[in-house]
Structure formats: structure tokens, C-alpha cells
């Protein structure tokens, strides 16, 4: 097993000895995977992968995901340090530069959607998404777009920064609300299951009734501080909540939210016009809980066309 000191690796990076670093990465990853298993091997080499994905020329950095190094040497979509290695790479170069270099389709797709979230206009370079998620941000995705919140800002030597979003984001626009009786719970809907898996640290419910009646399912208070907000204001917090862990990238969050919205229309596949129509009519209700601290999300999404509302509520206390 090759061992190395981070300081020595950073020196090699400062000297731009990228082929040597790629060779070290591949050898260390393969040996680690053989001796300690795939996940452990990937974890041990992730800091080196970050240095390469961040600083190397795209022609070399993209080779992290190229299987030409042999079994066990290739970074996958799950390889991560402070964030997925494919997302680190995607924040450093345009799709025009990366498209000819990336072979594996899962990585290509995630890098492509990361560039979309960062605001790149792909134009003729766009490729059709297998699920039909559009190759450009829709107006409601742009409405409250905060690049530093949607996609992590990665640092050259490792680590990342990201603004922390919550719902509600503050008390502006909120006021005292008397919640109605709890709405009748609707069981077994695909959208409810997707909501619970997209943000696994919240409790999710679907009810027949307005948004506040759905909120009443998830809070013990009858009188709350709450109010309605636009879906554009909700979207960044939802996307971030779906991608909090370092192995989750923002592109995965975007794809998950499009699947969720498609399921809320009752469809099995994504239809951009139907999703846009749903978003346009959604009424979004958010409220505050007395024990909210660092990370929390309290939201009800009401679809007036069906009379259904989906609510999710939860808090995280770990970093």
C-alpha cells in the first residue's frame, strides 16, 4: 500500500506534477480497494483525488474517471472528499471543455447538470437527458438562484464552502397563523415516498386539503408563525437539503427534485410543461418551530388542481 503525506502531495500539486499525482492516485486506490474494500480504498485516496480534480488541466483531471488505469483505479460517482470528485471537476471547467473528455455516462450526466446549475448555457453542446430533465434552468429555478448555495465552492487544497439555507429563512413576510384541523392523510402516493427519500431527515405527509392543514399534521402547535412564499424561494433550500452529505452533489439534487415534481403531477416520467404548470400553481406554506436551531425545513406544497398538499418538516443538529 502506498502511503503519502498530504504536505508532499500538495507540494507535487504546487509543482503541477499532475501525471505523477494521477499515477499515485490510481495505484493507491487500487491497492486500498483490494486490501480494505472499495469504499475504504476510495476514502483513503479522496483527498488526492480532490487535488487533481481541482487543479489539474481538464485533459488530465477527467482521467480520474477513465477506466484505462485498470481495475480499482477509477473514481466513481460515489468517490468524495468534501464533495463528489465529479462535482469538484465540474466547478473548474466549462462543459465545452469537459464534454469531449468524459466517457462514463453517469459522470457525464452529473457534470452536465452541475454546469447547468452554475448557469452555463450549453447551447448546441447540450445532450438529451435520459429522464427528460431540461438542459437549462427553468425560470422558477432561476428565480432565487444562489450559486454559492446551490453548488459548493471548493477550495484548492481540500474542503468546501456553502451558504446554509433553511425554511423559513427568516421572519420577514411571516406572521401569526391559526392552523386548521389536520387534513385527511392520503397514503401510498409515489410523490410522498420520493419526498421522504429526497430529504431523509424530514417527516413527510400528504393530505387532502390546503397547505396549512398539511402543516398541522407535522406540528403540535395550533398557532404558528408562518406564511406563503414562492416556489422560486423554496427551490434552493429544497435542493440543498437533498444534498447535504459530502457524497451528494447538487446535480443529484436537481434530478431528484424534478422526479419529485413529476410524481406530484401523477406522471411516471418527467414532462417539462406539466412540471412547469404544477410549479406555477403550487402554494408554498412555511412555518417556524420553537426549537429551530441550525438546519431546519418546514414546508407544505399545496396543489389547488388536485386538492392535495404535501408537507415536510424536520431539523438537523449534526454538522
Amino acid at each position: 500500500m502506498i502511503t503519502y503525506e498530504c504536505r508532499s502531495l500538495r507540494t507535487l500539486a504546487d509543482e503541477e506534477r499532475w501525471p505523477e499525482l494521477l499515477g499515485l492516485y490510481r495505484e493507491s486506490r487500487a491497492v486500498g480497494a483490494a486490501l480494505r474494500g472499495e469504499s475504504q480504498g476510495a476514502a483513503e485516496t479522496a483527498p488526492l483525488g480532490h487535488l487533481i480534480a481541482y487543479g489539474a488541466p481538464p485533459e488530465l483531471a477527467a482521467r480520474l474517471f477513465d477506466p484505462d488505469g485498470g481495475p480499482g483505479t477509477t473514481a466513481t460517482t460515489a468517490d468524495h472528499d468534501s464533495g463528489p470528485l465529479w462535482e469538484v471537476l465540474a466547478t473548474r471547467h466549462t462543459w465545452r471543455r469537459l464534454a469531449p473528455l468524459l466517457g462514463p455516462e453517469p459522470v457525464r450526466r452529473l457534470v452536465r447538470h452541475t454546469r447547468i446549475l452554475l448557469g452555463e448555457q450549453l447551447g448546441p453542446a447540450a445532450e438529451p437527458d435520459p429522464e427528460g430533465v431540461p438542459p437549462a434552468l427553468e425560470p422558477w429555478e432561476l428565480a432565487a438562484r444562489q450559486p454559492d448555495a446551490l453548488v459548493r465552492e471548493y477550495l484548492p487544497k481540500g474542503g468546501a464552502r456553502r451558504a446554509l439555507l433553511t425554511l423559513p429563512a427568516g421572519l420577514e413576510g411571516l406572521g401569526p397563523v391559526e392552523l386548521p384541523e389536520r387534513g385527511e392523510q392520503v397514503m401510498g402516493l409515489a410523490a410522498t415516498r420520493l419526498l421522504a427519500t429526497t430529504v431523509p431527515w424530514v417527516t413527510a405527509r400528504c393530505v387532502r386539503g390546503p397547505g396549512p392543514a398539511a402543516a398541522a399534521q407535522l406540528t403540535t402547535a395550533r398557532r404558528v408563525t408562518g406564511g406563503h412564499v414562492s416556489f422560486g424561494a423554496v427551490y434552493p433550500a429544497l435542493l440543498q437539503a437533498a444534498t447535504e452529505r459530502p457524497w451528494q452533489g447538487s446535480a443529484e439534487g436537481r434530478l431528484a427534485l424534478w422526479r419529485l415534481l413529476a410524481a406530484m403531477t401523477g406522471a411516471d416520467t418527467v414532462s417539462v410543461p406539466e412540471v412547469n404548470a404544477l410549479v406555477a400553481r403550487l402554494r408554498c406554506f412555511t412555518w417556524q418551530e420553537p426549537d429551530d436551531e441550525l438546519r431546519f425545513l418546514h414546508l407544505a406544497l399545496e396543489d389547488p388542481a388536485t386538492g392535495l398538499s404535501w408537507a415536510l418538516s424536520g431539523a438537523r443538529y449534526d454538522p
Side-chain angles (χ1 to χ4, degrees):
M1 172 66 183
I2 291 180
T3 60
Y4 48 80
E5 294 289 339
C6 286
R7 186 175 302 173
S8 300
L9 293 177
R10 290 172 180 173
T11 299
L12 292 177
D14 290 339
E15 295 172 356
E16 299 186 353
R17 293 161 66 176
W18 301 117
E20 186 175 343
L21 284 170
L22 179 64
L24 284 171
Y25 174 87
R26 287 178 162 180
E27 187 172 354
S28 299
R29 195 187 186 289
V31 172
L35 294 179
R36 284 174 287 281
E38 174 72 15
S39 61
Q40 185 62 29
E44 290 175 353
T45 53
L48 174 53
H50 180 109
L51 290 176
I52 296 169
Y54 186 96
E59 293 77 12
L60 187 137
R63 293 181 63 196
L64 285 168
F65 308 98
D66 195 324
D68 65 357
T73 65
T74 307
T76 69
T77 56
D79 285 56
H80 67 279
D81 187 30
S82 54
L85 298 187
W86 54 263
E87 187 172 72
V88 179
L89 177 65
T91 64
R92 302 296 296 156
H93 308 284
T94 65
W95 178 244
R96 184 175 181 179
R97 291 289 304 278
L98 293 172
L101 306 172
L102 292 170
E105 177 51 33
V107 172
R108 286 184 67 84
R109 186 189 188 200
L110 293 171
V111 168
R112 188 166 66 245
H113 281 282
T114 304
R115 294 306 310 171
I116 292 167
L117 282 168
L118 289 169
E120 183 175 350
Q121 303 295 318
L122 302 190
E127 298 174 4
D129 184 81
E131 291 183 275
V133 179
L137 296 178
E138 293 298 304
W140 48 268
E141 292 180 283
L142 285 165
R145 188 164 70 89
Q146 304 175 54
D148 62 334
L150 295 188
V151 182
R152 297 175 182 90
E153 178 191 356
Y154 290 99
L155 306 178
K157 305 301 184 183
R161 289 191 290 254
R162 194 182 199 185
L164 179 63
L165 301 182
T166 61
L167 271 177
L171 297 181
E172 184 179 355
L174 305 185
V177 177
E178 192 77 25
L179 294 180
E181 294 295 327
R182 294 181 176 184
E184 173 195 354
Q185 191 170 343
V186 179
M187 308 295 290
L189 294 183
T192 313
R193 292 193 297 272
L194 281 174
L195 190 57
T197 56
T198 299
V199 189
W201 50 272
V202 304
T203 301
R205 296 281 188 273
C206 178
V207 306
R208 198 172 303 282
Q217 278 276 351
L218 298 177
T219 181
T220 57
R222 289 301 304 275
R223 187 176 177 85
V224 299
T225 298
H228 286 87
V229 293
S230 70
F231 190 81
V234 164
Y235 177 73
L238 270 179
L239 188 146
Q240 187 179 100
T243 57
E244 284 198 340
R245 293 310 194 188
W247 57 84
Q248 298 172 312
S250 295
E252 293 169 312
R254 182 180 191 234
L255 297 173
L257 290 181
W258 272 88
R259 290 185 204 107
L260 169 64
L261 293 167
M264 290 174 67
T265 70
D268 295 327
T269 57
V270 170
S271 164
V272 175
E274 288 188 19
V275 168
N276 284 340
L278 170 70
V279 169
R281 66 178 183 261
L282 279 178
R283 302 189 75 227
C284 306
F285 178 79
T286 186
W287 71 95
Q288 188 184 44
E289 292 284 349
D291 57 349
D292 287 339
E293 292 184 9
L294 181 62
R295 297 177 178 178
F296 49 88
L297 190 63
H298 312 297
L299 176 66
L301 300 169
E302 175 188 343
D303 182 1
T306 62
L308 297 177
S309 294
W310 284 266
L312 60 158
S313 181
R316 291 190 71 93
Y317 302 100
D318 56 325

